[in-house]
Amino acid sequence: GQQLNQSPQSMFIQEGEDVSMNCTSSSIFNTWLWYKQDPGEGPVLLIALYKAGELTSNGRLTAQFGITRKDSFLNISASIPSDVGIYFCAGLWNYGGSQGNLIFGKGTKLSVKP
Amino acid sequence: KAGVTQTPRYLIKTRGQQVTLSCSPISGHRSVSWYQQTPGQGLQFLFEYFSETQRNKGNFPGRFSGRQFSNSRSEMNVSTLELGDSALYLCASKLQGRDQETQYFGPGTRLLVL
């Protein structure tokens, strides 16, 4: 079945640094989503990408839908302590309105040293 | 507008018992999905309900079941609990369950099976 490989698994960076993480798959996805999960909370949607090649920003966050439709990356610029958390990518592999078609990566745990 | 709420937030059960978790979606949302989140497997789709009907089901054994009521509130039940069922169970809602709608997650119910 469809699988997403998310990397890196964890990152430990200095405040102010830029961060990059990505997701790849051997399968084609029609939509890529990026979520952030804080401790004790559910994931919150950061950015949604619906078209191959699309580059979308949300404040200091920028994400791109790969041209091959098999990958996506998320960049965080000038990281701050509140960026700490786990970031998940998710790919929608088939249209049809069912959430069963949404596959999640294993997450990237971000820790920032103040 | 209140977010997705889940009760209880924490639960401890023993092997062989059964458990019922509850989810109240955002007012007006008709699609409710359930996910299991574990460190090893990440976020895995359990099932989705829309207008009181199960629309899709993930690859979980029949011990995992759910239902949705006419007010869109949903419950999931796990019977004959096993140690491996210890996880964070997340509920998420969408307005109509369409692909490009934002899915909102609740804070989750953390289940520990002893």
Side-chain angles (χ1 to χ4, degrees), chain B residues 92-108:
Chain B
S93 76
K94 269 189 168 186
L95 187 62
Q96 296 286 345
R98 297 193 182 120
D99 291 321
Q100 294 199 4
E101 292 172 355
T102 298
Q103 179 175 233
Y104 297 90
F105 282 86

Side-chain angles (χ1 to χ4, degrees), chain A residues 30-91:
Chain A
N30 294 317
T31 296
W32 284 96
L33 306 171
W34 284 92
Y35 289 87
K36 182 186 178 218
Q37 186 173 23
D38 292 325
E41 301 294 331
V44 173
L45 183 66
L46 299 173
I47 292 180
L49 302 158
Y50 300 111
K51 197 173 169 182
E54 182 180 354
L55 185 72
T56 297
S57 292
N58 177 8
R60 294 179 295 107
L61 277 60
T62 301
Q64 184 158 31
F65 192 143
I67 289 290
T68 64
R69 293 165 62 192
K70 294 182 179 180
D71 63 336
S72 176
F73 72 75
L74 174 71
N75 286 342
I76 304 173
S77 62
S79 56
I80 59 178
S82 62
D83 289 336
V84 162
I86 302 178
Y87 292 79
F88 293 96
C89 63

Side-chain angles (χ1 to χ4, degrees), chain A residues 35 37 40-43 45 50 88 92 94-102 104 106, chain B residues 9 33 35 37 40-41 43 45 48 55-56 90 94 97 99-100 102-103 105-107:
Chain A
Y35 289 87
Q37 186 173 23
E41 301 294 331
L45 183 66
Y50 300 111
F88 293 96
L92 186 68
N94 189 27
Y95 290 128
S98 171
Q99 290 310 110
N101 301 324
L102 194 62
F104 284 83
K106 294 283 179 72
Chain B
R9 291 294 308 273
S33 296
Y35 296 85
Q37 186 176 29
Q41 298 299 319
L43 266 156
F45 173 77
E48 180 196 4
R55 184 150 71 171
N56 204 346
L90 291 162
K94 269 189 168 186
D99 291 321
Q100 294 199 4
T102 298
Q103 179 175 233
F105 282 86

Side-chain angles (χ1 to χ4, degrees), chain A residues 12-29:
Chain A
F12 191 74
I13 62 169
Q14 294 281 350
E15 184 179 354
E17 286 184 346
D18 295 345
V19 173
S20 283
M21 60 191 78
N22 69 83
C23 271
T24 61
S25 173
S26 57
S27 305
I28 289 173
F29 286 89

Side-chain angles (χ1 to χ4, degrees), chain B residues 62-86:
Chain B
R63 300 185 295 108
F64 291 81
S65 62
R67 59 178 175 168
Q68 186 180 34
F69 302 95
S70 58
N71 60 358
S72 293
R73 191 177 70 84
S74 177
E75 288 181 347
M76 68 162 280
N77 183 276
V78 188
S79 62
T80 320
L81 284 166
E82 300 176 0
L83 295 180
D85 296 333
S86 294

